[in-house]
Amino acid sequence: MTRHQKRKIDETHVEQGHEELDAASLREHEEFTKVKNIAKIELGKYEIDTWYFSPFPPEYNDSAKLFFCEFCLNFMKRKEQLQRHMKKCDLKHPPGDEIYRCGTLSMFEVDGKKNKVYGQNLCYLAKLFLDHKTLYYDVDLFLFYILCECDDRGCHMVGYFSKEKHSEEAYNLACILTLPPYQRKGYGKFLIAFSYELSKKEGKVGTPERPLSDLGLLSYRGYWTRVLLEILKKHKSNISIKELSDMTAIKADDILSTLQSLDLIQYRKGQHVICADPKVLDRHLKAAGRGGLDVDVSKLIWTPYKEQG
């Protein structure tokens, strides 16, 4: 089952695994899962306050703080356990293929099937900072793209996005997170842009998995606005939504909704027409803010999943 199908089932049935609960017990369960169970984590040089509940195995629920290995993402209850682990752990980067390196930034592709424990640990960690994420233990169906800052000690995780290996709905991104110490530095925008560069390499259009959080929609609307308006500014002749979609790998529906939200679409003689007054474009571009870190496509060395052996 894809996540989308599973979510459809979850929306029409009682949450799976809780069928035996009556309505009152289910509400109690939902209230319990809203309460943070882990208050802090230590990851690399950072101590981070958590934001949300994450369903760690029961034996970890009495821990106010968990200690994560920043390379393999194994987690422990005590600092001494982490110190012992670090002496044995020989990883200095995520356990996958490095597909991008530009300056000190690096991207690794981790296959959930080949690195199941890492994928599950990443989901536990991410849920501490994501409100709407459903936790999936079946990470086999996903690829994880881990963004790292690299120094002489190794490659330190900054954030990530996940992606279904085979999505019928053309989803090119499932979950996205920048860890709190690295937020507001343009990394989220970089991850969104990176997901579209992968779609271009695949020769497909892409769109993020729905439903998007309010913040997610804001980030994507900003990205779509910047990319589309930069093209419209340079493009002197007529251009169709289909052509924009082919150039950017952005799904036509997302292009249409973005341009409509900016009042750049008019309906004339039975078809949508893009109205691109340069002054109006500049005003919208300024409002959309800056684009964050650029993806240098020449540094991306990647083979789409279906072509791998």
Side-chain angles (χ1 to χ4, degrees), residues 207-254:
T207 191
E209 186 178 310
R210 303 308 196 270
L212 278 170
S213 66
D214 295 346
L215 201 60
L217 180 59
L218 207 63
S219 302
Y220 268 94
R221 193 47 65 75
Y223 172 78
W224 294 329
T225 299
R226 283 187 298 274
V227 169
L228 297 170
L229 268 50
E230 289 290 356
I231 292 172
L232 293 178
K233 268 182 75 172
K234 292 174 192 156
H235 209 81
K236 299 293 178 253
S237 56
N238 288 345
I239 188 166
S240 69
I241 286 179
K242 169 81 170 71
E243 286 168 321
L244 280 172
S245 181
D246 291 342
M247 290 165 79
T248 61
I250 299 171
K251 202 174 178 181
D253 291 351
D254 297 331

Side-chain angles (χ1 to χ4, degrees), residues 7-18:
R7 187 174 280 133
K8 277 183 188 160
I9 288 170
D10 284 351
E11 281 168 2
T12 50
H13 294 66
V14 175
E15 191 179 342
Q16 287 184 328
H18 305 295

Side-chain angles (χ1 to χ4, degrees), residues 36 38-41 46-52 128-129 180-181:
K36 287 198 304 182
I38 311 292
K40 295 175 188 292
I41 62 163
Y46 292 107
E47 181 179 86
I48 310 170
D49 288 330
T50 64
W51 297 353
Y52 301 108
L128 292 167
F129 305 102

